[in-house]
Amino acid sequence: MRASLIQLAVSDSEPPAERRSRAAALVRAQEGADLVVLPELWALGGFAYEAWATGAEPLDGPTAEAMSAAARATRVWLHAGSIVERDPDGPIYNTSLLFAPDGTLTHTYRKIHRFGFDSGEAVAMGAGQEIVTAATDLGRLGLATCYDLRFPELFRALLDDSAELLVVPAAWPERRREHWTLLARARAVEEQAFVLACNTAGTHGGVPQAGHSLVVDPWGRVLGEAGPDEEVLTVEFDPAEVGKARADFPVHRDRLLGIPAPVQR
Ligand SMILES: O=C(O)CCC(=O)C(=O)O
């Protein structure tokens, strides 16, 4: 299969409507790909907190509409990164959108681990409550977003739901780039899965982004890695490698499903 990760440069100066058109054109340019991935919160900016309340949109809002049309025109599975979702009955969420090649929105995932400690998502957004995997003709996708990458138990839950291709849109800062590439590889090795990790480039909310989107195979090998700037990273691989890796090195068989309790002293 061929996957294209669109590492969009996100700035505070480009209006969201223009960035939407630009992203849609980039998706349409990926003809021949099977799966196209965009980063986290690329329309408003992952660190542009002050833009979220007014820019939040519903699941049939302008970003979803543009991405559905782009997926349909290009006949690709499109993981359109995430939007600031306005839930009419609740808070805002950081919600990822997956579109089928006919443009149908088949899955959404609300980010479970909110980043920011005492600011940003952690105070402004609701936390997702559901693990999401998606059966596709390419394999089963497991959905996670940015900061989620630091929580291996989420990825174990995705494995337990048969995920083979772990798709991680992000807005990961340059300051912690080493963590980004290291954790993407760690999750691939642990779950014996492909990791497709798509970051933003540029600077939003005053936070320079790391770029360096990457695709990692189930052995932890980096099949392709972007540089720091806007770029489309295209990688070809065989999803059947997941089953082969799990059969050749059946480490999951040795999982202790109940870790022994600590000895009381
Ligand atoms: O965990 C990190 O270092 C970055 C996470 C982040 O920027 C996010 O989840 O938006």
Side-chain angles (χ1 to χ4, degrees):
M1 71 172 264
R2 186 189 299 178
S4 291
L5 278 56
I6 301 178
Q7 178 173 285
L8 208 58
V10 174
S11 69
D12 298 323
S13 54
E14 184 181 33
E18 276 175 33
R19 194 149 51 234
R20 243 175 239 125
S21 310
R22 212 160 61 72
L26 281 164
V27 172
R28 286 168 196 257
Q30 306 315 314
E31 206 155 332
D34 300 293
L35 173 66
V36 176
V37 185
L38 278 159
E40 180 188 28
L41 299 181
W42 53 266
L44 299 180
F47 284 90
Y49 305 151
E50 66 297 336
W52 293 351
T54 48
E57 47 185 315
L59 291 176
D60 57 358
T63 301
E65 203 182 311
M67 294 299 111
S68 166
R72 191 167 55 246
T74 322
R75 307 294 308 167
V76 290
W77 281 97
L78 173 61
H79 185 308
S82 67
I83 60 167
V84 179
E85 179 200 349
R86 171 154 314 287
D87 176 345
D89 306 317
I92 56 173
Y93 292 95
N94 184 339
T95 303
S96 294
L97 310 175
L98 179 68
F99 295 91
D102 66 359
T104 307
L105 177 63
T106 60
H107 295 80
T108 60
Y109 164 68
R110 286 174 168 171
K111 186 178 182 180
I112 291 177
H113 301 95
R114 295 161 300 165
F115 183 63
F117 306 110
D118 298 319
S119 67
E121 294 179 352
V123 295
M125 289 182 162
Q129 305 292 331
E130 284 174 13
I131 301 286
V132 179
T133 66
T136 74
D137 55 336
L138 307 172
R140 187 175 281 270
L141 309 190
L143 307 193
T145 306
C146 201
Y147 190 48
D148 281 336
L149 199 55
R150 294 187 182 273
F151 299 87
E153 59 276 20
L154 169 62
F155 288 81
R156 207 26 67 101
L158 292 170
L159 171 78
D160 287 339
D161 205 24
S162 306
E164 299 163 300
L165 308 171
L166 303 167
V167 187
V168 188
W172 198 283
E174 165 58 23
R175 192 177 306 135
R176 293 182 295 280
R177 173 155 64 89
E178 295 299 333
H179 298 191
W180 163 249
T181 48
L182 178 67
L183 291 170
R185 293 185 65 201
R187 299 293 89 90
V189 171
E190 278 168 1
E191 310 314 339
Q192 296 184 300
F194 285 95
V195 169
L196 297 92
C198 183
N199 200 15
T200 48
T203 295
H204 41 91
V207 180
Q209 297 294 290
H212 284 267
S213 298
L214 67 167
V215 177
V216 189
D217 82 0
W219 295 99
R221 292 180 294 226
V222 176
L223 302 184
E225 182 170 336
D229 302 322
E230 180 161 308
E231 169 179 344
V232 179
L233 173 70
T234 297
V235 175
E236 297 199 11
F237 58 87
D238 182 0
E241 292 298 329
V242 172
K244 287 193 195 131
R246 290 176 183 174
D248 287 355
F249 192 68
V251 64
H252 294 151
R253 251 202 244 157
D254 288 332
R255 284 173 67 191
L256 291 175
L257 289 175
I259 295 286
V263 177
Q264 300 296 317
R265 294 210 170 87

